[in-house]
Amino acid sequence: MKTGIIGLPQVGKTSLFVMLTRQSVAQRAHGGPREAHLGVAKVPDDRLDRLATLYNPKKLVHATVEYADVAAVSKEALNETAFAANLRNVDALAHVVRAFEDDSIPHVGPIDPLRDIKNIDFDLIFNDLSQVEKRLERVEKDLKKMKSAEIEREHELLKRAKVHLETERPLREMEMTPEDKKRVRGFMFISEKPMLYVLNVRESAELGKDMEEAVAKYGVTEAAARPNTAALTVCAKVEAELAEMSDEDAAEFLASYGLRESGLVRLIHKTYELLGLVSFFTVGEDECRAWTIERGTKAVNAAGVIHTDLEHHFIRAETIHWDQLLDAGSEAEARARGTLRLEGREYVVKDGDVMHIRHSG
Ligand SMILES: Nc1nc2c(ncn2[C@@H]2O[C@H](COP(=O)(O)OP(=O)(O)O)[C@@H](O)[C@H]2O)c(=O)[nH]1
Ligand SMILES: [Mg+2]
């Protein structure tokens, strides 16, 4: 899963990227100004850490997500093929919006998150609109040469997308059937990507409270409630300090601001929610590991995420919810209690399930 970090200049995109991926700025000092920097972030998961205490495994493997620190968004930049390609290649967008006051760091006019959100969304919408128009021309030419049901369906869909975009609404808000989604997948429309607005607020003594109130305070509540859209508040300054601390110190530091979780944890969780992703675990003395799947995935397909052979030779999945296993203290005890059970191919894997795949191969 890959998230593109976008936004205006000097809003905290790179600060956020560094905090998520713990990459030092020196590591990323190469590449041209429009080149996206890629980094991998470990998905923090307290459930996996607790399961690991039962097994003391040689390896503990968290799920990972990729982030791309894309150069600042502008109409000019979007016209560059390489820049647009960086945005097309991601699964979701995190738009970092400046909500912190600091006269020493320039910004386009006064601090106004909703204005910045609308402007960037507008640029993305406009970019998709020109793609749709180009494609429509081509499809209309094709239709003159030859009638085909599939081309006609694409034509209908593109016309609908055009009308939608012309009313300044992003494609992520347009209703599409799974077939429609497949039809437009190849275009990789930017405004179709799930969007997370990340308000970057200033440091304050009551940061916990200020963060809770920020989305409403800046009038972003309505925008964030739209389909495939969400909002989150972080303080990049505080996160940068957290990144340097031990886990214990970080917990204490967070508590002193009235916070429970770091922005990093909240951002990753919110992105999972937005994309409809959940985790399941495999456990053992060799390795305890988290795997990422889409909500609603069947046991047999979840097995395929681990290894295609497991999908092909799937028999059953020994399954237990992580907290029941922790509660029992061992698999033997869980089996005795009947909480460790056998599930078949069609079983829909739940967030937090622990599975052993039984296979014939
Ligand atoms: N006061 C304040 N400054 C910040 C905050 N977040 C980022 N900055 C500063 O804003 C400037 C631009 O940040 P950067 O992450 O490079 O922004 P980018 O251009 O969007 O990548 C840097 O000097 C940061 O230290 C914040 O929450 N508060
Ligand atoms: Mg930057």
Side-chain angles (χ1 to χ4, degrees):
M1 199 257 289
K2 186 152 130 193
T3 300
I5 300 174
I6 62 166
L8 292 168
Q10 306 272 70
V11 295
K13 296 184 297 300
T14 299
S15 310
L16 191 76
F17 175 82
V18 169
M19 114 203 177
L20 283 163
T21 61
R22 309 258 163 126
Q23 272 191 32
S24 71
V25 176
Q27 269 174 285
R28 36 178 314 281
H30 49 77
R34 296 272 208 249
E35 197 163 309
H37 299 283
L38 295 178
V40 175
K42 186 177 98 169
V43 175
D45 199 324
D46 192 38
R47 300 168 300 179
L48 179 64
D49 299 336
R50 290 174 63 188
L51 283 171
T53 61
L54 293 185
Y55 294 89
N56 210 2
K58 292 193 196 91
K59 261 168 73 190
L60 177 60
V61 187
H62 286 79
T64 55
V65 287
E66 258 191 291
Y67 286 91
D69 181 12
V70 182
V73 170
S74 65
K75 276 192 193 60
E76 300 73 48
L78 280 165
N79 282 332
E80 289 171 28
T81 318
F83 181 82
N86 284 334
L87 291 187
R88 290 190 207 294
N89 279 324
V90 301
D91 304 299
L93 295 171
H95 175 183
V96 182
V97 187
R98 179 147 164 192
F100 66 85
E101 313 265 350
D102 189 333
D103 292 337
S104 68
I105 301 163
H107 191 56
V108 283
I111 301 300
D112 184 350
L114 195 59
R115 173 203 60 204
D116 296 348
I117 283 174
K118 285 182 176 162
N119 284 346
I120 293 236
D121 274 339
F122 182 81
D123 288 346
L124 303 182
I125 289 167
F126 190 78
N127 189 267
D128 281 351
L129 183 59
S130 61
Q131 293 287 117
V132 167
E133 284 171 343
K134 263 189 233 152
R135 182 67 199 170
L136 263 174
E137 265 176 46
R138 165 88 56 81
V139 167
E140 279 163 9
K141 257 190 213 147
D142 287 352
L143 274 176
K144 278 187 193 132
K145 277 188 252 157
M146 161 186 75
K147 292 262 179 257
S148 110
E150 181 47 39
I151 302 180
E152 262 163 32
R153 256 179 243 121
E154 187 184 339
H155 187 225
E156 283 308 307
L157 180 60
L158 288 168
K159 278 201 301 190
R160 195 154 65 86
K162 182 166 183 278
V163 172
H164 185 91
L165 290 163
E166 280 169 346
T167 55
E168 291 181 24
R169 285 175 299 163
L171 291 175
R172 59 177 182 271
E173 293 174 21
M174 186 170 114
E175 269 190 49
M176 281 196 256
T177 63
E179 289 74 41
D180 287 345
K181 282 212 173 289
K182 259 187 221 148
R183 261 177 213 116
V184 297
R185 191 179 292 156
F187 301 123
M188 300 194 270
F189 290 126
I190 303 174
S191 80
E192 193 193 343
K193 320 246 176 229
M195 171 69 86
L196 184 63
Y197 299 128
V198 183
L199 299 185
N200 187 11
V201 298
R202 73 188 174 96
E203 199 175 343
S204 66
E206 293 198 298
L207 192 56
K209 189 166 154 283
D210 291 347
M211 293 224 274
E212 258 172 48
E213 291 167 359
V215 172
K217 178 180 160 193
Y218 291 111
V220 180
T221 313
E222 192 268 335
R226 302 217 187 108
N228 298 311
T229 313
L232 176 86
T233 312
V234 300
C235 176
K237 263 246 156 88
V238 166
E239 293 294 335
E241 288 172 50
L242 279 173
E244 308 280 310
M245 293 181 195
S246 69
D247 288 352
E248 267 172 39
D249 289 349
E252 211 170 288
F253 186 71
L254 280 171
S256 74
Y257 280 107
L259 295 168
R260 262 189 315 121
E261 288 176 313
S262 70
L264 180 147
V265 170
R266 288 180 298 116
L267 192 134
I268 290 178
H269 286 173
K270 206 65 169 191
T271 314
Y272 264 57
E273 224 175 273
L274 193 60
L275 292 173
L277 300 174
V278 297
S279 307
F280 75 92
F281 309 110
T282 51
V283 293
E285 265 125 45
D286 281 335
E287 180 184 275
C288 288
R289 181 161 182 167
W291 304 87
T292 305
I293 50 171
E294 280 176 29
R295 189 179 293 282
T297 299
K298 291 177 178 161
V300 61
N301 304 119
V305 173
I306 304 172
H307 200 291
T308 43
D309 284 351
L310 293 184
E311 183 164 355
H312 294 144
H313 304 292
F314 182 95
I315 301 174
R316 288 281 169 94
E318 269 188 291
T319 309
I320 180 168
H321 203 251
W322 74 276
D323 51 359
Q324 290 175 321
L325 178 54
L326 209 68
D327 206 38
S330 73
E331 287 172 33
E333 174 59 21
R335 203 170 280 120
R337 292 184 184 184
T339 45
L340 183 67
R341 61 202 195 269
L342 281 173
E343 297 285 0
R345 314 167 58 85
E346 298 295 312
Y347 171 73
V348 173
V349 180
K350 292 196 185 60
D351 188 29
D353 274 349
V354 178
M355 299 211 293
H356 287 298
I357 310 298
R358 286 198 191 164
H359 57 96
S360 61

